[in-house]
Amino acid sequence: MEAFFLPGSQGARFAIYHPPAAGVAERGGVLYVPPFAEEMNKARRMVALQARRLAVAGFGVLIPDLYGCGDSAGDFAEARWEIWRDDLSRCRDWLLGRGHHRLVLWGLRLGALLAAELAGDSTTQRLLLWQPVLDGERFLHQFLRLRLTADRLKGGDETMARLQEVLAAGQTLEVSGYELSPELATAMKQARLQVPPAGGWVDWFELVNAVNRPLLPASQRTVDEWRTSGVTIHPRTLVGEAFWATQEIATAPDLLAATVAALVAER
């Protein structure tokens, strides 16, 4: 494992790289695109476990902290969607520079939106999506509800309309310890899960609470639309905890194993 700082457009980005295990045939590079705010922290253990397994299977895995997040430069209030896009482009180029010419973009939750965007303007051969967010605006509303819940527990009377007014007025909004800028909120509202280029390959995983549960209806509609657009997509559901949102740090062992199996399978 290598920990280092990668130059960014505004300061350095902290990153961890898991090289392919010694003596194993190199299978390509994997760029992890993290989820939003506290989901990123809750998911760190799962991501580290997955990266190690992928490295043993022959993949080089790069795990960055985007601008304003984790140990990278900047404060969260300064984070912007376009800066995150630039961060990921630089990370992709870094992997290419390490000789990984077959690239997988691995997006978790909101990170899936960024991964799909990057797949549309890069040489990515594959998308790996974990519990992808389909609609940035709906996700933003869910995030803002965290503030409303905390406010009501304190006897407050804030409303979603009022929070939206604050952002529309160009003011930063504190939500669960994160300073959300109006610029980032606007970009999130506009973000939708983009269709990968025709001929693309997607592995889509969702966690469910019982065996043989199907994809969420909205996810299934997206999968069907992508297939119609010429994308090869393999959706799967697995039993496991929503580790990005649990109170205590949790893992989903079946997801770890299934992800390795999917990426090492011949296309």
Side-chain angles (χ1 to χ4, degrees):
M1 185 182 76
E2 304 171 20
F4 64 99
F5 285 93
L6 183 69
S9 59
Q10 299 182 44
R13 306 295 182 268
F14 179 74
I16 292 176
Y17 175 64
H18 294 262
V24 178
E26 192 267 342
R27 294 180 181 273
V30 178
L31 173 56
Y32 171 64
V33 188
F36 188 74
E38 195 59 22
E39 291 188 1
M40 178 187 73
N41 294 322
K42 290 292 181 67
R44 283 193 186 276
R45 176 160 176 75
M46 266 294 289
V47 171
L49 291 172
Q50 188 67 81
R52 291 168 191 158
R53 291 197 182 199
L54 289 173
V56 169
F59 293 93
V61 185
L62 184 62
I63 303 172
D65 284 348
L66 303 181
Y67 182 72
C69 303
D71 292 317
S72 288
D75 295 324
F76 194 84
E78 302 169 317
R80 299 292 184 271
W81 195 265
E82 61 272 17
I83 297 178
W84 288 350
R85 278 281 305 265
D86 181 73
D87 289 347
L88 294 168
S89 293
R90 292 168 185 263
C91 289
R92 177 196 61 203
D93 293 343
W94 187 91
L95 281 169
L96 291 171
R98 289 292 293 250
H100 298 302
H101 299 299
R102 297 177 58 196
L103 294 183
V104 178
L105 285 173
W106 167 25
L108 171 58
R109 301 283 289 145
L110 194 73
L113 298 182
L114 282 160
E117 285 187 18
L118 194 65
D121 61 6
S122 72
T123 56
T124 303
Q125 283 84 28
R126 199 163 190 163
L127 271 176
L128 168 62
L129 304 180
W130 276 9
Q131 209 78 22
V133 169
L134 308 181
D135 185 319
E137 183 172 15
R138 180 172 296 179
F139 179 87
L140 176 63
H141 284 186
Q142 293 170 345
F143 183 64
L144 294 178
R145 285 193 192 102
L146 297 176
R147 170 158 175 152
L148 294 180
T149 300
D151 179 69
R152 286 165 186 163
L153 289 174
K154 295 184 292 186
D157 59 357
E158 284 188 325
T159 64
M160 183 64 73
R162 175 56 185 156
L163 299 185
Q164 296 283 9
E165 288 173 2
V166 171
L167 291 170
Q171 300 176 41
T172 297
L173 197 63
E174 187 276 327
V175 182
S176 295
Y178 291 87
E179 297 287 337
L180 176 67
S181 71
E183 293 86 356
L184 182 55
T186 296
M188 290 170 65
K189 287 176 67 174
Q190 296 171 349
R192 301 293 184 274
L193 192 62
Q194 294 186 8
V195 182
W201 183 289
V202 181
D203 292 289
W204 180 308
F205 290 95
E206 288 187 2
L207 294 178
V208 293
N209 58 12
V211 178
N212 296 326
R213 285 285 179 87
L215 293 177
L216 294 170
S219 298
Q220 187 60 59
R221 287 194 294 271
T222 300
V223 167
D224 293 341
E225 291 169 3
W226 286 14
R227 282 177 173 154
T228 301
S229 299
V231 177
T232 300
I233 181 166
H234 295 275
R236 305 167 183 84
T237 59
L238 299 165
V239 175
E241 290 189 82
F243 56 86
W244 58 90
T246 52
Q247 188 68 27
E248 302 296 330
I249 300 301
T251 60
D254 289 350
L255 177 59
L256 297 173
T259 296
V260 174
L263 293 191
V264 301
E266 292 297 326
R267 291 178 49 174

